[in-house]
Amino acid sequence: MTFDLQHTAPGTRARAGLIMTDHGPIETPIFMPVGTVGSVKGIFHRDLKNEAGAQIILANTYHLYLRPGTTILEQAGGIHRFSAWDRPVLTDSGGFQVFSLEANRKITEEGCRFSSHIDGSKHLFTPENVIDTQRSIGADIMMAFDECPSGTAEYDYAAKSLALTNRWLERCFARYRQTQPKYGYYQSLFPIVQGCTYPDLREKSARFVQQFGADGYAIGGLAVGEPAETMYEMIEVVNAILPTDKPRYLMGVGTPVNLLEAIDRGVDMFDCVMPTRNGRNGMLFTSEGVINIKNLKWRDDFSPIDPMGHCFVDTAYSKAYLRHLVIAGEMLAAQIASLHNVAFYLWLVAEARRHILDGSFAEWKPVMIERLSRRL
């Protein structure tokens, strides 16, 4: 994998770049739709590519490990063939998922023992077998196994957690270097910077991960309960230390405003379930603000969902029709809303890239943030 840093916007740390993988290019800044079990809920791959313009999707190690399992994935020839997705894939290590099962997991030096949310069966994730599992899945970009503590964790716990994450990271890279891809194409491994909301721990982590000479670096453990301004502060601390010639991935973030603020601070890659999850519940993101399509005011509004008309569904469906589908409980409502939101997120990062390249990002961003913050 290679990364070409093409331009940095004047007066900011916002960057435009190009990641090259064996499954194709990724123009940054980029948003990765979340395809947890190998699918983005309610959206055909055809529409992800042709209508939304997705260049890469995320899949989750925890979920794919439990179902369908690595045997099926290997028999299929990896996640790309199994899911008929021919563009890049990134896999989360599953750390966030197993640590969210607080009542059903136990953390030790060895790894994390947990009970499946599906059938209660017992499992163990270690730095080594998480790398093995991601080799079997076949993602272009794999994530290291880490502990993801709460955003409100006490300092002593955060420090101990970071020390454990660092020891696990050494084991992840040892296993990564001992193994080879299974399907004939290159796989990268990104370390994850942790440290909660403590600047000294974030600095320590950002310096520690660089020793591995990775193809890119992730920032984890944010948007997990801390205020947005604290998140932005941690991003600034970390990105002041991480290499400028490697992509930076902010995990699990966030709202459209979060994306623009993080891009301004030098982040290149994002993922979040918000576009599809909120879409299924009737929340739509547009260039003029946020819409709750269930509200009565949209009942006889026959205008496009977004007045700028840049998203796939805008040319086909009105607010009134989508509201009708939502109220009627039609499956098509979730499909339209999910596709719209994913397409909007991808439009937004593409617009950010365009403004970075032409030098106008610093002027465009505050205008866009004001619009995105409205409740329509």
Side-chain angles (χ1 to χ4, degrees):
M1 193 193 87
T2 62
F3 177 64
D4 176 26
L5 179 57
Q6 297 170 319
H7 192 67
T8 301
T12 77
R13 289 184 172 172
R15 300 135 49 95
L18 181 67
I19 299 171
M20 289 300 302
T21 76
D22 285 347
H23 282 100
I26 306 165
E27 294 181 333
T28 65
I30 191 64
F31 178 78
M32 300 179 285
V34 176
T36 303
V37 298
S39 71
V40 178
K41 283 186 185 295
I43 306 178
F44 285 108
H45 286 170
R46 171 198 66 208
D47 295 336
L48 277 175
K49 291 192 290 187
N50 299 334
E51 311 299 347
Q55 300 175 50
I56 176 174
I57 62 173
L58 179 145
N60 185 263
T61 295
Y62 166 85
H63 290 280
L64 291 173
Y65 161 82
L66 290 176
R67 188 169 52 193
T70 55
T71 299
I72 295 296
L73 287 162
E74 289 182 2
Q75 289 174 353
I79 190 64
H80 296 85
R81 291 184 179 177
F82 183 61
S83 65
W85 176 259
D86 60 1
R87 294 183 181 179
V89 173
L90 180 148
T91 40
D92 183 344
S93 70
F96 179 81
Q97 282 69 33
V98 295
F99 295 118
S100 68
L101 302 170
E102 190 168 355
N104 295 301
R105 50 86 169 160
K106 181 179 181 181
I107 303 168
T108 66
E109 189 69 33
E110 181 184 18
C112 183
R113 297 186 182 278
F114 62 94
S115 299
S116 165
H117 72 285
I118 299 171
D119 59 8
S121 56
K122 306 295 184 182
H123 302 271
L124 170 68
F125 271 5
T126 69
E128 292 79 12
N129 68 25
V130 163
I131 296 299
D132 293 344
T133 298
Q134 290 183 90
R135 289 291 198 195
S136 294
I137 294 170
D140 300 88
I141 301 173
M142 309 186 297
M143 304 306 301
F145 190 54
D146 64 331
E147 182 184 2
C148 182
S150 163
T152 58
E154 296 292 334
Y155 184 89
D156 287 348
Y157 183 89
K160 291 177 182 177
S161 171
L162 177 58
L164 179 62
T165 287
N166 288 347
R167 294 192 296 273
W168 282 357
L169 181 58
E170 292 174 330
R171 290 165 57 188
C172 281
F173 267 91
R175 188 63 154 214
Y176 175 69
R177 290 164 179 159
Q178 293 164 0
T179 57
Q180 296 296 321
K182 295 178 180 288
Y183 310 113
Y185 53 84
Y186 181 74
Q187 294 179 278
S188 295
L189 176 61
F190 284 18
I192 302 174
V193 175
Q194 288 286 358
C196 291
T197 58
Y198 303 104
D200 62 319
L201 296 182
R202 287 284 174 179
E203 290 179 11
K204 181 178 180 180
S205 181
R207 297 188 191 283
F208 181 83
V209 298
Q210 292 184 62
Q211 68 181 285
F212 299 96
D215 295 321
Y217 298 88
I219 305 170
L222 293 176
V224 287
E226 79 286 353
E229 289 304 320
T230 302
M231 175 174 70
Y232 301 147
E233 179 188 350
M234 294 302 102
I235 293 169
E236 291 175 1
V237 167
V238 170
N239 280 350
I241 298 169
L242 290 179
T244 58
D245 62 345
K246 300 293 176 67
R248 300 152 175 176
Y249 163 34
L250 180 59
M251 305 180 74
V253 177
T255 67
V257 169
N258 292 156
L259 265 62
L260 292 189
E261 293 288 5
I263 288 170
D264 194 12
R265 292 162 171 81
V267 174
D268 307 297
M269 305 170 68
F270 303 88
D271 80 280
C272 190
V273 298
M274 187 171 286
T276 47
R277 178 177 292 171
N278 288 27
R280 293 194 302 274
N281 289 301
M283 177 181 284
L284 302 175
F285 299 100
T286 81
S287 60
E288 296 298 321
V290 181
I291 292 173
N292 181 351
I293 201 66
K294 297 178 183 178
N295 288 347
L296 187 63
K297 65 186 295 185
W298 310 117
R299 181 177 60 180
D300 57 356
D301 188 327
F302 304 106
S303 65
I305 294 169
D306 193 305
M308 292 186 69
H310 48 68
C311 298
F312 158 68
V313 295
D314 297 341
T315 58
Y317 304 113
S318 69
K319 297 183 184 75
Y321 179 63
L322 180 55
R323 181 183 184 276
H324 158 67
L325 294 178
V326 170
I327 299 302
E330 284 291 327
M331 289 189 295
L332 182 57
Q335 292 178 276
I336 292 173
S338 297
L339 179 56
H340 167 86
N341 281 349
V342 168
F344 176 78
Y345 267 58
L346 284 157
W347 172 85
L348 184 65
V349 294
E351 279 292 284
R353 174 182 170 83
R354 183 172 69 83
H355 286 281
I356 292 168
L357 290 171
D358 70 16
S360 63
F361 180 83
E363 294 75 31
W364 171 79
K365 176 202 154 194
V367 174
M368 201 66 210
I369 282 182
E370 190 278 327
R371 291 178 181 173
L372 296 173
S373 301
R374 298 173 187 164
R375 294 278 176 167
L376 301 178

